[in-house]
Amino acid sequence: MIERVPVDGDYGLPAEPDWRETDWSQHTHDAVIAERRVRYLDVGPGASRSGSATRKSASSARPGELCFVLVHGMGGRWKHWLECIPALAEHARVLALDLPGFGASQSPAGGASLDGFADTAAELAHSLGIERVVLVGHSMGGPIAIRFAARHPELAQAIVLVAGAVFQFSALLGLREVLRFAVKRPGGTAAIAMEIATAGLPAPAVARQSIVRVPLLRQLFLAPYVRNPSAFAADTAHLIVDGAGAPGVLPTAYAIGRSDPREGIELVRCPILLLAGDSDRISPLPDTEAFQREVPQAQTVVLEGCGHMLMLERPRAVNAQLLAFARALA
């Protein structure tokens, strides 16, 4: 069964508390995982002030404490979650990381892989002495969440896939069924092609600023990601484009194309929540419906009036769903 949440005048409205009122530099740290630097945010009850906790000395971790780990999608970084973090941090510890090769994290020495990303999230949680987490993955973070739960069941209290049923996305990146999708879903095929082009190509700061400020450019470049590009404040729109050109994009696209986004799902024993947008062209509704049929134990919620960036388009609704799901785990 798929639950639907209608738009209630909340599209494009910022969440509360406002992320702009916090100095996030006070909560960002660097960890060394697999000999590479990984940038992450740690905020909320029990958060480490120094970011230097270890398995043996993580006095900040409390048994049974709720912890969200937020994983971005391709071309993203931890700041894609800024509309969610303040609200979640009022109730739980929140970790949000730049995956290796994205944001301020170094590229992985062994090359990009979904398993490697899942293991990075797990190692970060272990290094901070956190025993159980709700891992929330956006877009390609959905398959990463599945791998995380399959490979690290001791850590996975639950997983959430936000626009994470990326079956068509994975197939097209792997050059599978391209003609069928181009004919059957031309809008989605074009959106995915645009995502690869815009996320993978380095863009100077002046170009990113122009995309945000010029209405025609904003519509052109953000249309694959959101339903209404004009509905956002400029700094929110900037969050979407600022990760363009990350060195991890193209290697990760290659890794996704060679992978099965369902891999490991039969090993997942924890609760699963799938959040989807009914106007998402990158993770379209038919893929969400296919995931629900294949994984009937998952709780599936469709936010109406949303494209691919649910946590920026309807952050109040996303936060409400995440917190309700987490409370039900107790």
Side-chain angles (χ1 to χ4, degrees):
M1 180 177 177
I2 297 178
E3 177 186 352
R4 299 181 75 95
V5 180
V7 178
D8 187 21
D10 59 342
Y11 187 89
L13 292 182
E16 296 176 349
D18 191 335
W19 60 267
R20 299 164 183 84
E21 297 174 357
T22 299
D23 178 4
W24 296 106
S25 67
Q26 300 300 310
H27 304 282
T28 55
H29 313 285
D30 288 332
V32 177
I33 297 176
E35 302 182 348
R36 311 299 283 174
R37 182 187 68 250
V38 173
R39 176 68 51 84
Y40 70 98
L41 175 106
D42 188 2
V43 67
S48 170
R49 293 184 178 273
S50 66
S52 60
T54 65
R55 295 189 199 193
K56 295 182 180 179
S57 62
S59 58
S60 61
R62 304 175 203 165
E65 186 176 75
L66 179 62
C67 179
F68 289 102
V69 175
L70 309 180
V71 176
H72 61 77
M74 193 167 68
R77 51 188 185 147
W78 74 260
K79 292 182 180 179
H80 275 188
W81 296 102
L82 274 171
E83 287 285 2
C84 296
I85 291 168
L88 298 181
E90 289 188 334
H91 304 275
R93 185 173 183 175
V94 179
L95 301 180
L97 66 153
D98 287 343
L99 291 171
F102 297 88
S105 293
Q106 291 179 303
S107 297
S113 73
L114 298 183
D115 285 347
F117 291 151
D119 292 347
T120 296
E123 182 57 33
L124 177 62
H126 278 308
S127 73
L128 295 170
I130 299 171
E131 296 180 355
R132 301 276 279 170
V133 308
V134 177
L135 190 132
V136 185
H138 173 248
S139 194
M140 76 165 185
I144 293 171
I146 292 172
R147 307 287 182 101
F148 178 89
R151 294 168 67 85
H152 305 281
E154 77 289 350
L155 275 174
Q157 183 178 6
I159 59 173
V160 182
L161 286 64
V162 179
V166 288
F167 301 159
Q168 176 183 351
F169 183 71
S170 177
L172 289 177
L173 291 185
L175 301 179
R176 300 184 298 275
E177 302 184 85
V178 175
L179 182 59
R180 182 175 76 85
F181 282 123
V183 172
K184 188 175 181 180
R185 303 180 189 172
T189 301
I192 290 168
M194 176 66 86
E195 178 182 11
I196 300 303
T198 56
L201 297 177
V206 65
R208 294 196 294 269
Q209 292 168 2
S210 296
I211 291 171
V212 169
R213 293 175 180 172
V214 178
L216 182 60
L217 292 178
R218 186 193 282 209
Q219 181 65 35
L220 176 65
F221 284 94
L222 298 190
Y225 304 101
V226 300
R227 181 168 182 172
N228 184 2
S230 65
F232 303 96
D235 53 1
T236 302
H238 196 270
L239 295 176
I240 301 174
V241 303
D242 204 37
V249 171
L250 296 181
T252 300
Y254 180 70
I256 294 171
R258 297 183 64 195
S259 70
D260 179 353
R262 305 165 176 84
E263 183 176 328
I265 192 64
E266 72 282 356
L267 301 176
V268 176
R269 298 292 179 263
C270 65
I272 303 170
L273 171 64
L274 175 61
L275 294 180
D278 66 349
S279 298
D280 190 341
R281 294 194 290 166
I282 294 171
S283 175
L285 201 54
D287 283 2
T288 296
E289 293 166 346
F291 186 94
Q292 175 63 35
R293 289 193 299 271
E294 295 177 19
V295 190
Q297 72 272 24
Q299 177 184 344
T300 302
V301 179
V302 173
L303 302 186
E304 296 181 349
C306 270
H308 192 58
M309 304 295 294
L310 283 72
M311 65 283 202
L312 295 177
E313 295 178 84
R314 293 185 62 192
R316 299 182 184 193
V318 169
N319 291 340
Q321 291 295 326
L322 290 177
L323 289 171
F325 178 66
R327 292 189 186 107
L329 299 173

